[in-house]
Amino acid sequence: PVSSSTTQVSRPASRPSDEVEQLLGEVGSHAQVSSRRKRADAIRALAMDAVERARSGHPGAPMGLADFAEVLWRDILRHNPSNPEWWDRDRVTLSNGHASMLMYAVLHLTGYQVSTADLKSFRQLHAPTAGHPEYGECPGIETTTGPLGQGFANAVGMALAESMLAREFNRPGHPLVDHRTWAIVGDGCLMEGISHEAASLAGTLGLGKLTVIYDDNGVSIDGFTSEWFTEDVPARFEAYGWEVIRDLDGHDADAVLQALRTALQPRSCPMLICMKTTIGYGAPNKGGTASTHGSPLGEEEVAAVRRELNWHHPPFEVPAEIRDSWDQRNRGLELERSWEKLWNAYQAEFPDLAEEFRRRQSGDLPLRWAEELDRLALGCQSSRDSIATRQASGHCLDVLGPMLPELIGGSADLTGSNNTKWKSAKAVGDGGRYLSYGVREFAMTAMSNGMLLHGGFRPFTGTFLVFMEYARNAVRLAALMGIPNIFVYTHDSVALGEDGPTHQPIEQLTNLRTTPNLSVWRPCDSVETALAWKHALLRRSGPTALVLTRQKLPVLERTDAALRDIDRGGYVIHEPEDLILAIVLATGSEVDVALKAASILRASGTAIRVVSIPSVDTFLAQDVDYQRQVLPDEVRARVAVEAAHPDYWRRFVGLDGEVVGISRYGASAPGAEAMKAMGIHAEAVVEAVGRLIG
């Protein structure tokens, strides 16, 4: 691909289909250009008025992007304001989420359920018009954005999901899946490293229905970006394998329309449109400067904008003729009806595929998969084979991969180490559902968020636990959005050994467990691993992290009752015959350590209960009576053991209990030696119990 302009593109432009041409309409008269500007000015006025009323916000980007937004939402976008969840709609992400008033104003004007009262409540408590767009809070918002660059990566995931579903379900004459993904990004998004990761992979994947619009206004919070952002962005994307339109005038509606029409043409690579705009366009004294970026314009400048734009209407008032010309409900209804006709014909000709498509979009899982995992867990309990829990996870995927066609997995260049590729899996490029992300942990996680938000897939990703830190903010946003993504993290402790402290996690488990709405499972053997996968797939209200070992672990003895109670996240795995003098709590590989300590103590006449807590959040979600059965209040002598930072476990052992953990970085040594050097062994647990009970 080579760079292009709006008047001369590098590829011959084929004529759009008759349907697209009809929807796009004709542009030309001075009267229409004038009405376009007035519609764009409505966005500018609403944006500055809402920010002014809130005394907080970012008016500059919405005012600069208004002309572009008027063309995209009125002439190009496939959407239905009356049904924001219409399945074959185009997806739009606002990666520079601080420009949220652009989205709210456009959604309001085009006919979504975003009222004038909502605009007046911008950034206020419980308002759907939050400071940055929040998924699930406001209709028409496809993803939560704000941390810059993640909306870009989400869009790459959405475009990938669209292309894979189209390949799976479309049939000649029946383009059931046929929509586009648009991402709006700013200078900050392209400075963030995640944009490099995601753009590079998007080019490799050849996502031809992805278009990114770069709002190149040359200003960020600190001032003019020419002092710290001087790279040739178009050349960078050309090197990634994108087609690029350079130097588009973002305030020329005709040029914008031509560029967006070019983006509609069939291509085998994504497109970047580099659009020059003036931040705070219309503000005569502050426009083009950083003072419009993240602060209200002020009463005097707001009045000056109204004079500059000849917009003599009270705050939040849009004249009826302008409002009517913005309304996209009828057009959206026509688009959805057209797709419904296609869908009805598809159901008649391909009933089995149609039923599968309906199931996938609803998010329902196929029958019997959970029973198969239960059966796998029982088989593991009977076989008593010692394997690493990462390997046990791979066995779970061998069962799940063929049963769940919506399952799409991948690893950040650690497939063999993470055991994330099931036996029958084929690469995405070969028509399969496994993606090697390369060394791109952050983009991988944000892309998988985008795939899940798009619908039709249940993604999971894999890397080492310590490298979760690279992806941390995308994990946080998955939890914030409440989407059921699955994160597989292996090499979960200093027991990974020779790679040393750079690879040995210490604080990461506490980091994950203290993330609201993130469920964390650290299984102690292959039995708990199978049930952890079951919980991750059953969960619909948030993501799950599966934290797995490198080293082999024995399958531990359990009663039938204990086997049933694994589902509760915490249970008694060893109960002494005598009066309980102490309780030892453990997770993962340290459950075996606790059981060995119990054996040593039993020989000396000391009876202790051992509790396995593979998922603390699941255990704490149980009723209080069950929690007290497992951890009775009267037994205050408690020891927690985990090869990780000790502080998290204080809530369970109290000030009078002890934690056998690691509060320093690890050591480069074979795994068993590293564990012993860090004090994670049965004798340390025995000594801790001894100190508590005398």
Side-chain angles (χ1 to χ4, degrees), residues 3 38 52 137 164 187 274 291 313 443 495 547 577 627 652:
S3 63
K38 282 299 180 185
E52 199 67 27
E137 297 296 323
M164 293 179 64
D187 293 296
C274 299
S291 61
H313 311 290
V547 183
E577 296 179 359
Q627 293 182 46
F652 293 101

Side-chain angles (χ1 to χ4, degrees), residues 170-413:
N170 287 359
R171 294 296 181 269
H174 296 81
L176 187 65
V177 181
D178 188 19
H179 52 269
R180 294 180 173 274
T181 304
W182 309 83
I184 304 167
V185 307
D187 293 296
C189 296
L190 298 190
M191 283 187 255
E192 287 285 1
I194 190 173
S195 73
H196 298 254
E197 295 181 26
S200 172
L201 189 52
T204 299
L205 293 170
L207 301 176
K209 287 188 175 179
L210 171 64
T211 302
V212 174
I213 298 92
Y214 167 31
D215 179 25
D216 183 9
N217 60 36
V219 170
S220 63
I221 292 176
D222 280 359
F224 296 111
T225 59
S226 57
E227 295 185 29
W228 50 82
F229 187 48
T230 60
E231 68 192 49
D232 188 340
V233 171
R236 166 184 152 195
F237 276 78
E238 288 164 0
Y240 292 145
W242 290 51
E243 187 171 333
V244 178
I245 293 178
R246 294 175 179 253
D247 299 326
L248 174 68
D249 182 352
H251 302 298
D252 182 338
D254 287 343
V256 170
L257 180 60
Q258 184 179 343
L260 295 181
R261 281 181 164 176
T262 300
L264 293 177
Q265 306 309 316
R267 62 176 40 81
S268 59
C269 63
M271 171 171 276
L272 176 73
I273 299 176
C274 299
M275 190 172 66
K276 299 286 186 180
T277 66
T278 300
I279 190 170
Y281 183 93
N285 302 308
K286 296 183 177 182
T289 70
S291 61
T292 67
H293 174 88
S295 303
L297 298 179
E299 292 183 9
E300 291 185 7
E301 188 71 358
V302 166
V305 171
R306 282 184 154 76
R307 291 191 297 270
E308 183 77 12
L309 300 179
N310 196 27
W311 185 269
H312 303 297
H313 311 290
F316 300 100
E317 183 176 306
V318 178
E321 64 274 14
I322 296 177
R323 186 177 291 278
D324 291 344
S325 69
W326 258 110
D327 196 329
Q328 295 294 294
R329 285 173 290 188
N330 288 338
R331 175 175 172 269
L333 185 60
E334 291 174 5
L335 286 167
E336 185 169 356
R337 283 175 176 170
S338 177
W339 185 81
E340 288 289 345
K341 291 178 182 177
L342 176 67
W343 169 236
N344 291 334
Y346 187 91
Q347 292 181 88
E349 189 163 350
F350 309 104
D352 292 341
L353 275 174
E355 181 57 34
E356 174 65 9
F357 184 81
R358 183 186 295 109
R359 182 190 70 79
R360 296 274 288 278
Q361 305 322 312
S362 69
D364 294 333
L365 293 169
L367 299 175
R368 296 185 301 279
W369 69 269
E371 289 87 338
E372 289 299 317
L373 282 182
D374 286 337
R375 188 174 293 111
L376 178 63
L378 286 172
C380 293
Q381 188 67 65
S382 300
S383 71
R384 305 293 297 276
D385 291 337
S386 294
I387 60 173
T389 53
R390 60 169 175 158
Q391 186 180 353
S393 173
H395 292 168
C396 294
L397 288 171
D398 288 338
V399 171
L400 294 169
M403 294 189 69
L404 303 181
E406 57 265 64
L407 197 67
I408 175 172
S411 170
D413 203 47

Side-chain angles (χ1 to χ4, degrees), residues 8-82:
Q8 182 179 1
V9 296
S10 59
R11 298 167 184 245
S14 58
R15 184 175 178 79
S17 68
D18 292 339
E19 180 184 1
V20 172
E21 191 71 48
Q22 179 181 356
L23 289 173
L24 294 181
E26 297 298 329
V27 180
S29 69
H30 291 296
Q32 187 168 6
V33 171
S34 176
S35 62
R36 281 195 182 280
R37 179 53 57 83
K38 282 299 180 185
R39 285 191 290 268
D41 288 345
I43 296 175
R44 295 183 175 101
L46 290 173
M48 71 176 183
D49 289 341
V51 172
E52 199 67 27
R53 184 183 180 93
R55 298 184 180 179
S56 173
H58 301 74
M63 295 173 75
L65 285 164
D67 297 297
F68 153 78
E70 190 271 339
V71 177
L72 178 65
W73 265 271
R74 290 189 68 260
D75 294 88
I76 300 293
L77 208 62
R78 287 170 54 85
H79 66 127
N80 182 7
S82 299

Side-chain angles (χ1 to χ4, degrees), residues 79-118:
H79 66 127
N80 182 7
S82 299
N83 182 13
E85 301 301 316
W86 168 41
W87 197 83
D88 205 37
R89 69 192 182 276
D90 284 359
R91 270 59 167 183
V92 181
T93 71
L94 183 69
S95 190
N96 47 339
H98 57 268
S100 57
M101 265 311 302
L102 175 78
M103 292 290 287
Y104 301 144
V106 169
L107 294 172
H108 168 74
L109 291 167
T110 53
Y112 289 78
Q113 291 296 311
V114 180
S115 66
T116 301
D118 292 331

Side-chain angles (χ1 to χ4, degrees), residues 413-433:
D413 203 47
L414 289 168
T415 294
S417 295
N418 298 149
N419 292 91
T420 43
K421 190 173 186 179
W422 60 99
K423 290 178 181 177
S424 60
K426 294 194 299 184
V428 166
D430 294 329
R433 292 179 280 123

Side-chain angles (χ1 to χ4, degrees), residues 173 215 439 587 590:
D215 179 25
V439 188
T587 77
E590 287 72 72

